[in-house]
mmCIF file of all heavy atoms in Angstrom:
data_model
loop_
_atom_site.group_PDB
_atom_site.id
_atom_site.type_symbol
_atom_site.label_atom_id
_atom_site.label_comp_id
_atom_site.label_asym_id
_atom_site.label_seq_id
_atom_site.Cartn_x
_atom_site.Cartn_y
_atom_site.Cartn_z
ATOM 1 N N GLY T 219 32.091 -13.460 -16.810
ATOM 2 C CA GLY T 219 31.310 -14.402 -17.613
ATOM 3 C C GLY T 219 31.173 -13.845 -19.058
ATOM 4 O O GLY T 219 31.186 -12.621 -19.173
ATOM 5 N N ILE T 220 31.230 -14.764 -20.009
ATOM 6 C CA ILE T 220 31.235 -14.270 -21.422
ATOM 7 C C ILE T 220 30.058 -14.969 -22.091
ATOM 8 O O ILE T 220 29.940 -16.197 -22.109
ATOM 9 C CB ILE T 220 32.488 -14.545 -22.148
ATOM 10 C CG1 ILE T 220 33.673 -13.746 -21.572
ATOM 11 C CG2 ILE T 220 32.380 -14.117 -23.656
ATOM 12 C CD1 ILE T 220 35.076 -14.023 -22.163
ATOM 13 N N ILE T 221 29.142 -14.238 -22.677
ATOM 14 C CA ILE T 221 28.001 -14.787 -23.357
ATOM 15 C C ILE T 221 28.077 -14.395 -24.804
ATOM 16 O O ILE T 221 28.493 -13.244 -25.174
ATOM 17 C CB ILE T 221 26.686 -14.268 -22.662
ATOM 18 C CG1 ILE T 221 25.478 -15.063 -23.219
ATOM 19 C CG2 ILE T 221 26.512 -12.787 -22.744
ATOM 20 C CD1 ILE T 221 24.267 -14.831 -22.485
ATOM 21 N N SER T 222 27.657 -15.264 -25.647
ATOM 22 C CA SER T 222 27.599 -14.998 -27.102
ATOM 23 C C SER T 222 26.462 -15.792 -27.721
ATOM 24 O O SER T 222 26.287 -16.964 -27.486
ATOM 25 C CB SER T 222 28.934 -15.506 -27.750
ATOM 26 O OG SER T 222 28.976 -15.276 -29.129
ATOM 27 N N HIS T 223 25.681 -15.080 -28.531
ATOM 28 C CA HIS T 223 24.514 -15.690 -29.134
ATOM 29 C C HIS T 223 23.590 -16.481 -28.085
ATOM 30 O O HIS T 223 23.088 -17.496 -28.400
ATOM 31 C CB HIS T 223 24.861 -16.632 -30.370
ATOM 32 C CG HIS T 223 25.665 -15.928 -31.367
ATOM 33 N ND1 HIS T 223 25.164 -14.988 -32.216
ATOM 34 C CD2 HIS T 223 26.973 -15.975 -31.678
ATOM 35 C CE1 HIS T 223 26.087 -14.507 -33.026
ATOM 36 N NE2 HIS T 223 27.204 -15.165 -32.744
ATOM 37 N N GLY T 224 23.525 -15.883 -26.952
ATOM 38 C CA GLY T 224 22.669 -16.475 -25.917
ATOM 39 C C GLY T 224 23.235 -17.549 -25.131
ATOM 40 O O GLY T 224 22.674 -17.967 -24.138
ATOM 41 N N LYS T 225 24.416 -18.062 -25.465
ATOM 42 C CA LYS T 225 25.021 -19.120 -24.707
ATOM 43 C C LYS T 225 26.235 -18.634 -23.906
ATOM 44 O O LYS T 225 27.020 -17.800 -24.350
ATOM 45 C CB LYS T 225 25.593 -20.198 -25.776
ATOM 46 C CG LYS T 225 24.508 -21.005 -26.471
ATOM 47 C CD LYS T 225 25.153 -22.080 -27.238
ATOM 48 C CE LYS T 225 24.204 -22.813 -28.171
ATOM 49 N NZ LYS T 225 23.202 -23.597 -27.459
ATOM 50 N N LEU T 226 26.250 -19.121 -22.669
ATOM 51 C CA LEU T 226 27.323 -18.732 -21.805
ATOM 52 C C LEU T 226 28.508 -19.518 -22.156
ATOM 53 O O LEU T 226 28.584 -20.762 -22.152
ATOM 54 C CB LEU T 226 26.908 -19.034 -20.290
ATOM 55 C CG LEU T 226 27.900 -18.583 -19.271
ATOM 56 C CD1 LEU T 226 27.937 -17.084 -19.208
ATOM 57 C CD2 LEU T 226 27.665 -19.236 -17.937
ATOM 58 N N LEU T 227 29.637 -18.893 -22.518
ATOM 59 C CA LEU T 227 30.836 -19.535 -22.943
ATOM 60 C C LEU T 227 31.767 -19.846 -21.794
ATOM 61 O O LEU T 227 32.461 -20.833 -21.812
ATOM 62 C CB LEU T 227 31.580 -18.738 -24.029
ATOM 63 C CG LEU T 227 30.727 -18.284 -25.234
ATOM 64 C CD1 LEU T 227 31.524 -17.432 -26.169
ATOM 65 C CD2 LEU T 227 30.295 -19.544 -25.980
ATOM 66 N N ILE T 228 31.776 -18.932 -20.895
ATOM 67 C CA ILE T 228 32.660 -19.100 -19.756
ATOM 68 C C ILE T 228 32.162 -18.349 -18.547
ATOM 69 O O ILE T 228 31.618 -17.248 -18.729
ATOM 70 C CB ILE T 228 34.111 -18.715 -20.128
ATOM 71 C CG1 ILE T 228 35.112 -19.393 -19.280
ATOM 72 C CG2 ILE T 228 34.371 -17.225 -20.144
ATOM 73 C CD1 ILE T 228 36.497 -19.456 -19.913
ATOM 74 N N ALA T 229 32.453 -18.756 -17.304
ATOM 75 C CA ALA T 229 32.108 -17.945 -16.110
ATOM 76 C C ALA T 229 33.026 -18.441 -15.004
ATOM 77 O O ALA T 229 32.872 -19.569 -14.473
ATOM 78 C CB ALA T 229 30.604 -18.139 -15.766
ATOM 79 N N GLU T 230 33.966 -17.602 -14.614
ATOM 80 C CA GLU T 230 34.889 -18.079 -13.570
ATOM 81 C C GLU T 230 35.653 -16.901 -13.044
ATOM 82 O O GLU T 230 35.554 -15.730 -13.637
ATOM 83 C CB GLU T 230 35.919 -19.067 -14.127
ATOM 84 C CG GLU T 230 36.741 -18.548 -15.291
ATOM 85 C CD GLU T 230 37.551 -19.738 -15.936
ATOM 86 O OE1 GLU T 230 36.970 -20.576 -16.559
ATOM 87 O OE2 GLU T 230 38.881 -19.699 -15.735
ATOM 88 N N PRO T 231 36.428 -17.004 -11.952
ATOM 89 C CA PRO T 231 37.135 -15.893 -11.336
ATOM 90 C C PRO T 231 38.135 -15.350 -12.411
ATOM 91 O O PRO T 231 38.767 -16.158 -13.206
ATOM 92 C CB PRO T 231 37.853 -16.480 -10.190
ATOM 93 C CG PRO T 231 37.089 -17.658 -9.845
ATOM 94 C CD PRO T 231 36.467 -18.224 -11.078
ATOM 95 N N LEU T 232 38.308 -14.064 -12.373
ATOM 96 C CA LEU T 232 39.052 -13.370 -13.407
ATOM 97 C C LEU T 232 40.557 -13.851 -13.348
ATOM 98 O O LEU T 232 41.173 -14.161 -14.413
ATOM 99 C CB LEU T 232 39.079 -11.824 -13.191
ATOM 100 C CG LEU T 232 39.876 -11.026 -14.224
ATOM 101 C CD1 LEU T 232 39.302 -11.265 -15.641
ATOM 102 C CD2 LEU T 232 39.717 -9.499 -13.789
ATOM 103 N N ASN T 233 41.132 -13.975 -12.146
ATOM 104 C CA ASN T 233 42.514 -14.400 -12.082
ATOM 105 C C ASN T 233 42.754 -15.896 -12.669
ATOM 106 O O ASN T 233 43.756 -16.127 -13.272
ATOM 107 C CB ASN T 233 43.129 -14.294 -10.587
ATOM 108 C CG ASN T 233 42.199 -15.010 -9.605
ATOM 109 O OD1 ASN T 233 41.312 -15.763 -9.984
ATOM 110 N ND2 ASN T 233 42.490 -14.790 -8.309
ATOM 111 N N GLN T 234 41.744 -16.678 -12.425
ATOM 112 C CA GLN T 234 41.819 -18.058 -12.891
ATOM 113 C C GLN T 234 41.793 -18.047 -14.457
ATOM 114 O O GLN T 234 42.569 -18.772 -15.115
ATOM 115 C CB GLN T 234 40.579 -18.804 -12.383
ATOM 116 C CG GLN T 234 40.702 -20.227 -12.372
ATOM 117 C CD GLN T 234 39.485 -20.887 -11.636
ATOM 118 O OE1 GLN T 234 39.138 -20.556 -10.479
ATOM 119 N NE2 GLN T 234 38.783 -21.820 -12.308
ATOM 120 N N LEU T 235 40.998 -17.164 -14.966
ATOM 121 C CA LEU T 235 40.846 -17.070 -16.456
ATOM 122 C C LEU T 235 42.163 -16.544 -17.050
ATOM 123 O O LEU T 235 42.631 -17.106 -18.031
ATOM 124 C CB LEU T 235 39.679 -16.057 -16.779
ATOM 125 C CG LEU T 235 39.361 -15.921 -18.264
ATOM 126 C CD1 LEU T 235 38.619 -17.093 -18.768
ATOM 127 C CD2 LEU T 235 38.522 -14.629 -18.458
ATOM 128 N N GLU T 236 42.705 -15.573 -16.389
ATOM 129 C CA GLU T 236 44.018 -14.922 -16.825
ATOM 130 C C GLU T 236 45.123 -16.052 -16.815
ATOM 131 O O GLU T 236 45.961 -16.064 -17.678
ATOM 132 C CB GLU T 236 44.387 -13.742 -16.012
ATOM 133 C CG GLU T 236 43.534 -12.545 -16.409
ATOM 134 C CD GLU T 236 43.683 -11.346 -15.442
ATOM 135 O OE1 GLU T 236 44.118 -11.546 -14.326
ATOM 136 O OE2 GLU T 236 43.384 -10.218 -15.916
ATOM 137 N N GLN T 237 45.084 -16.945 -15.750
ATOM 138 C CA GLN T 237 46.079 -17.949 -15.612
ATOM 139 C C GLN T 237 45.938 -18.947 -16.819
ATOM 140 O O GLN T 237 46.873 -19.392 -17.449
ATOM 141 C CB GLN T 237 45.947 -18.684 -14.269
ATOM 142 C CG GLN T 237 46.741 -18.039 -13.176
ATOM 143 C CD GLN T 237 46.451 -18.691 -11.911
ATOM 144 O OE1 GLN T 237 45.945 -19.886 -11.887
ATOM 145 N NE2 GLN T 237 46.753 -17.979 -10.837
ATOM 146 N N ARG T 238 44.635 -19.274 -17.063
ATOM 147 C CA ARG T 238 44.344 -20.279 -18.134
ATOM 148 C C ARG T 238 44.770 -19.780 -19.524
ATOM 149 O O ARG T 238 45.086 -20.571 -20.402
ATOM 150 C CB ARG T 238 42.852 -20.617 -18.044
ATOM 151 C CG ARG T 238 42.632 -22.024 -17.622
ATOM 152 C CD ARG T 238 41.321 -22.661 -17.685
ATOM 153 N NE ARG T 238 40.110 -21.832 -17.787
ATOM 154 C CZ ARG T 238 39.329 -21.916 -18.823
ATOM 155 N NH1 ARG T 238 39.574 -22.771 -19.806
ATOM 156 N NH2 ARG T 238 38.209 -21.220 -18.891
ATOM 157 N N TYR T 239 44.600 -18.517 -19.614
ATOM 158 C CA TYR T 239 44.992 -17.889 -20.928
ATOM 159 C C TYR T 239 46.244 -17.028 -20.763
ATOM 160 O O TYR T 239 46.354 -15.933 -21.254
ATOM 161 C CB TYR T 239 43.829 -17.054 -21.479
ATOM 162 C CG TYR T 239 42.692 -17.874 -21.974
ATOM 163 C CD1 TYR T 239 41.702 -18.247 -21.097
ATOM 164 C CD2 TYR T 239 42.612 -18.293 -23.306
ATOM 165 C CE1 TYR T 239 40.619 -19.053 -21.524
ATOM 166 C CE2 TYR T 239 41.447 -18.959 -23.756
ATOM 167 C CZ TYR T 239 40.536 -19.317 -22.801
ATOM 168 O OH TYR T 239 39.417 -20.177 -23.231
ATOM 169 N N SER T 240 47.289 -17.651 -20.107
ATOM 170 C CA SER T 240 48.483 -16.824 -19.827
ATOM 171 C C SER T 240 49.205 -16.401 -21.082
ATOM 172 O O SER T 240 49.965 -15.453 -21.007
ATOM 173 C CB SER T 240 49.361 -17.617 -18.906
ATOM 174 O OG SER T 240 49.596 -18.899 -19.511
#
Side-chain angles (χ1 to χ4, degrees):
Chain T
I220 297 174
I221 188 169
S222 179
H223 301 291
K225 287 185 189 295
L226 185 72
L227 304 177
I228 205 161
E230 60 187 68
L232 183 59
N233 53 11
Q234 203 173 305
L235 186 73
E236 282 170 340
Q237 273 174 18
R238 250 185 343 118
Y239 289 86
S240 53

